Amino acid sequence: MSLYYDAVTLLVPSTDQADSLKSRVFNSKHLKSPPKQIYALVSEASKWSSVLSEVVEKSQLLQLERKKPCVV
């Protein structure tokens, strides 16, 4: 499961991360999963992001998902 958590941090870059996707993956020191696996996942997910978002939208998956309680 840490593979997906690592991938999320790299797919949504912060303002100080203006590098390419490949450099963000292979220069990260905090990853728990192997960089090759993360890069494969992230690059394929970014290729298919428009299709994936359409599938999630049409399936109404986010409406069925239980929401986590907001922690203040």
Side-chain angles (χ1 to χ4, degrees):
M1 197 64 158
S2 66
L3 174 70
Y4 297 103
Y5 288 119
D6 288 342
V8 167
T9 62
L10 297 168
L11 271 175
V12 183
S14 62
T15 55
D16 61 337
Q17 291 180 330
D19 299 337
S20 69
L21 185 59
K22 189 173 187 177
S23 65
R24 283 190 305 223
V25 171
F26 288 101
N27 291 335
S28 283
K29 304 297 180 202
H30 69 279
L31 302 175
K32 296 178 182 176
S33 303
K36 288 182 180 180
Q37 289 180 350
I38 295 172
Y39 182 70
L41 174 66
V42 169
S43 63
E44 288 300 313
S46 64
K47 284 180 193 175
W48 293 97
S49 66
S50 61
V51 175
L52 291 171
S53 63
E54 185 177 339
V55 168
V56 169
E57 182 180 311
K58 288 190 177 188
S59 68
Q60 299 178 349
L61 182 67
L62 295 178
Q63 293 175 357
L64 300 174
E65 180 180 306
R66 285 189 281 163
K67 306 279 190 241
K68 291 184 180 180
C70 183
V71 179
V72 178

